Amino acid sequence: MSITINIWINEERYEKLQKAGLANMAEEALAGLKVIKVPCTEQQKDKVLKVFPTAKYDSATTKSIELLPREVKDKIFDLVVEKQSIDVMDDFLKNY
Amino acid sequence: MTYIGHGGKEIVERVLEPEKAAEAIKGLTPVPIRGQIAREIIDIAYGFFTPLEGFMTRADVEGVCNEMKLANGVLWPIPIVFDISTEEINEKGIKEGDKLLLTYQDKPMAILEVEEIFTYDKQEMAQKVYGTTEDKHPGVARTYNYKDKFIGGKITLVNPPKINPPFDEFFFTPKQLRQKFAEKGWQRVVAHQTRNVPHTGHEWLMKGAWLSTHGELPVEKTLTGVLVNAIIGEKRKGDYIDEAIVLCHDVLRKAGYFREDVHLTSITLWDMRYAGPKEAVFHAILRSNLGLTHHMFGRDHAGVGTYYDPYDAHRIFDQIPEGALNIKPIRVLAWWYCPICGEVTYSGLCGHKEHSQNFSGTLIRSIIQDGVKPPRLIFRPEVFDLIMECAEKYGFGSAFVTDKYLKERNPVFSLPDMKY
């Protein structure tokens, strides 16, 4: 199972996706809740955890990096929309 | 009424009457203590840690580390120690045979009878208790942070704490809790250990454990209960605030997800060690002292990172000799959401593994942090609404621990002023 960052889709984010014609990028993940799963390499995961100490890698259940601050998730989400791709972690981490 | 706790020992409250307490502490050397030690003093004094009457001596620590037994042969997995620096010992002239006045929040709290002053290799302690010496493990880090000497000896509470709202209605001593079970007519009670706000996976874990516990008992009358025992201790930034954890568990009953006569929420003061299987045994001992008959253990109980296999905490109970523990483990696998079944369902029964949607407390926390309301199948709306209310009322606008919360929160308990 690959490592991901889950960007959960609320109404505001869904609207942005729709405007960009990317609504189908969100997949159903949890009882109808939609998510964009941004992939991370092992090295990217380590850097994210180092830069954002409140974040946690859920190795036991979901293999995902959780508890990133909301504004950080927003930045990653905006990059996804801008690049029209989920492979954005290299770009995102350039600034850190 | 006499109640028997772990190791066949009577549950005794080591608490002095106010007049005797004022007299007993006169002239004693004051030693300020930190929150962890204060919480453990309360646990010892009210019998949560029966048969312990104080902090461990070297023989106890050695027995616990090497054989998971106290010096008297009673099963015990985690050292309970009072640490102190050599400087403080020298500065205050502390020696064996002394009595110390332990103070907290600048008020007298307890008397410690100095039976033994000793050292113990912290790395050895970490390896034997946690199975690792890596300081990334929070229990190991806690061990390394201990000061260089330990004092073993009995404690006596001289200034009982006042438990502050909203925790006051959830704090029961072992004796009070056993009386409460008797009033409810519960013959069996199963523990749900938590330090999380409940999602429906937790709810179904509890319901499954209740069914396992009730077993062959007749169904005409409620003879079995679920006790949610929330662990309240040191908080880290990003955790749910304590108030939300306790109140949200309680709302499951108030909102009818549990019948009024089968569910109760309570708290125990303890700083998690994340010792995985060893902590599972510790939790079992703690809850047996509370009068519980069964204890539910789910996936990765008290684990952290990848230090333990998710089911190590199940397996350790196979190694415990019969009669050493007076509580039965109820072992359960994970619950997941299955889109085919259209419900949260038990992984041990559901045949749609490839479609399963796993979730955890951490994942739900992340969803809420993203400003998203989880679907009601996963998270009860009453719980979500209450989290938001707790954020406003207790968390300075956040349901999660912040620097401001750590600094300015109303403490779980306070020590009253004491004349002496």
Side-chain angles (χ1 to χ4, degrees):
Chain A
M1 198 193 274
S2 56
I3 302 166
T4 60
I5 292 175
N6 294 321
I7 311 282
W8 299 97
I9 304 303
N10 55 13
E11 279 177 24
E12 186 191 337
R13 284 176 180 164
Y14 195 66
E15 210 171 288
K16 282 187 183 173
L17 283 177
Q18 274 184 319
K19 272 188 191 162
L22 299 171
N24 59 355
M25 195 180 251
E27 53 182 285
E28 196 203 302
L30 195 56
L33 202 61
K34 288 191 184 304
V35 72
I36 290 176
K37 293 187 171 190
V38 175
C40 277
T41 62
E42 192 68 35
Q43 290 84 350
Q44 287 167 340
K45 178 202 82 179
D46 291 343
K47 184 158 181 192
V48 168
L49 295 181
K50 198 174 167 193
V51 175
F52 305 103
T54 60
K56 185 178 164 188
Y57 176 54
D58 188 349
S59 57
T61 312
T62 57
K63 311 279 183 244
S64 55
I65 300 170
E66 303 296 345
L67 305 178
L68 278 168
R70 170 89 184 267
E71 57 275 17
V72 174
K73 291 275 201 81
D74 283 340
K75 276 185 193 166
I76 298 172
F77 174 78
D78 289 344
L79 267 178
V80 168
V81 173
E82 187 194 319
K83 305 260 174 205
Q84 307 211 345
S85 165
I86 53 173
D87 292 315
V88 297
M89 287 312 287
D90 271 340
D91 284 335
F92 173 73
L93 287 171
K94 263 183 209 163
N95 300 319
Y96 296 95
Chain B
M1 175 135 190
T2 302
Y3 295 112
I4 301 302
H6 180 58
K9 188 168 179 291
E10 187 185 341
I11 298 214
V12 175
E13 294 189 347
R14 299 183 61 80
V15 184
L16 274 188
E17 300 285 322
E19 309 77 46
K20 286 183 186 168
E23 193 56 35
I25 63 174
K26 272 184 188 156
L28 298 186
T29 305
V31 176
I33 54 170
R34 64 182 186 278
Q36 177 199 324
I37 299 287
R39 289 184 274 279
E40 287 167 12
I41 284 171
I42 293 170
D43 293 326
I44 295 166
Y46 287 110
F48 289 83
F49 288 180
T50 302
L52 298 191
E53 294 180 75
F55 291 98
M56 291 182 180
T57 59
R58 186 180 173 84
D60 281 330
V61 173
E62 254 170 13
V64 166
C65 289
N66 295 327
E67 297 180 85
M68 211 162 72
K69 285 177 187 171
L70 298 170
N72 62 9
V74 171
L75 176 76
W76 198 280
I78 293 176
I80 305 294
V81 289
F82 183 93
D83 60 310
I84 189 164
S85 67
T86 303
E87 291 75 32
E88 199 168 6
I89 288 176
N90 293 339
E91 187 190 305
K92 295 185 189 296
I94 297 168
K95 56 188 186 310
E96 290 173 3
D98 283 354
K99 284 184 180 177
L100 306 177
L101 174 62
L102 305 182
T103 64
Y104 184 61
Q105 298 172 342
D106 295 325
K107 297 192 178 130
M109 182 171 194
I111 295 171
L112 170 62
E113 298 168 36
V114 183
E115 191 180 324
E116 186 183 17
I117 301 171
F118 62 101
T119 56
Y120 201 88
D121 186 305
K122 291 191 225 172
Q123 225 173 8
E124 187 185 335
M125 191 186 278
Q127 180 62 44
K128 289 185 169 165
V129 175
Y130 301 103
T132 176
T133 54
E134 283 182 26
D135 62 2
K136 275 196 288 183
H137 186 299
V140 173
R142 185 181 291 277
T143 304
Y144 290 169
N145 281 334
Y146 285 149
K147 294 165 194 162
D148 57 333
K149 291 250 169 77
F150 298 106
I151 293 180
K154 291 180 180 169
I155 67 98
T156 307
L157 193 65
V158 293
N159 193 12
K162 175 186 169 289
I163 310 293
N164 294 320
F167 303 102
D168 48 348
E169 61 175 300
F170 303 106
F171 181 81
F172 306 102
T173 65
K175 284 187 174 181
Q176 288 170 336
L177 209 45
R178 285 167 183 243
Q179 282 158 7
K180 210 157 180 71
F181 296 161
E183 285 161 21
K184 286 177 174 290
W186 290 351
Q187 291 180 10
R188 294 180 186 173
V189 193
V190 61
H192 172 59
Q193 139 78 31
T194 193
R195 47 197 172 82
N196 217 327
V197 159
H199 53 63
T200 51
H202 296 128
E203 186 185 316
W204 287 103
L205 277 169
M206 286 186 261
K207 288 177 174 172
W210 184 92
L211 287 166
S212 298
T213 301
H214 192 74
E216 81 294 354
L217 290 178
V219 293
E220 288 79 12
K221 214 176 145 195
T222 304
L223 299 171
T224 302
V226 175
L227 179 80
V228 177
N229 191 224
I231 291 288
I232 303 292
E234 198 170 70
K235 302 303 290 181
R236 287 187 292 188
K237 267 170 76 177
D239 289 347
Y240 278 114
I241 60 174
D242 283 329
E243 292 85 349
I245 296 169
V246 173
L247 292 170
C248 287
H249 269 283
D250 198 47
V251 87
L252 284 182
R253 187 191 71 259
K254 286 182 174 159
Y257 297 104
F258 284 93
R259 253 169 56 166
E260 188 64 34
D261 55 353
V262 299
H263 182 271
L264 181 68
T265 304
S266 70
I267 60 169
T268 292
L269 307 173
W270 169 249
D271 290 19
M272 284 287 295
R273 305 299 206 265
Y274 303 93
K278 292 267 178 98
E279 189 141 2
V281 175
F282 173 76
H283 288 160
I285 290 171
L286 175 68
R287 274 73 191 229
S288 73
N289 282 327
L290 296 179
L292 286 93
T293 56
H294 294 69
H295 197 306
M296 185 248 290
F297 295 99
R299 190 180 193 278
D300 202 27
H301 186 95
V304 61
T306 51
Y307 288 102
Y308 312 104
D309 178 85
Y311 293 104
D312 275 355
H314 286 192
R315 294 181 200 108
I316 195 167
F317 289 99
D318 295 331
Q319 299 163 26
I320 291 172
E322 199 159 335
L325 202 51
N326 194 27
I327 192 167
K328 286 184 185 164
I330 301 287
R331 302 174 220 209
V332 285
L333 300 171
W335 291 68
W336 60 40
Y337 178 76
C338 172
I340 311 294
C341 299
E343 61 191 6
V344 175
T345 185
Y346 188 51
S347 61
L349 293 172
C350 177
H352 305 121
K353 188 179 178 185
E354 69 277 19
H355 299 285
S356 65
Q357 297 174 353
N358 289 305
F359 59 107
S360 64
T362 306
L363 187 84
I364 302 287
R365 225 174 346 143
S366 224
I367 294 171
I368 294 171
Q369 274 193 349
D370 268 21
V372 178
K373 185 173 183 172
R376 65 177 301 132
L377 278 170
I378 300 298
F379 210 75
R380 301 301 190 187
E382 294 86 347
V383 175
F384 184 84
D385 292 345
L386 187 54
I387 287 179
M388 296 302 139
E389 203 182 308
C390 285
E392 288 314 309
K393 197 168 174 187
Y394 303 108
F396 307 95
S398 168
F400 305 102
V401 172
T402 57
D403 285 328
K404 190 171 173 66
Y405 177 82
L406 288 172
K407 205 171 156 197
E408 295 179 31
R409 69 172 295 191
N410 194 29
V412 177
F413 68 88
S414 308
L415 292 177
D417 286 326
M418 186 181 173
K419 284 183 188 159
Y420 65 102

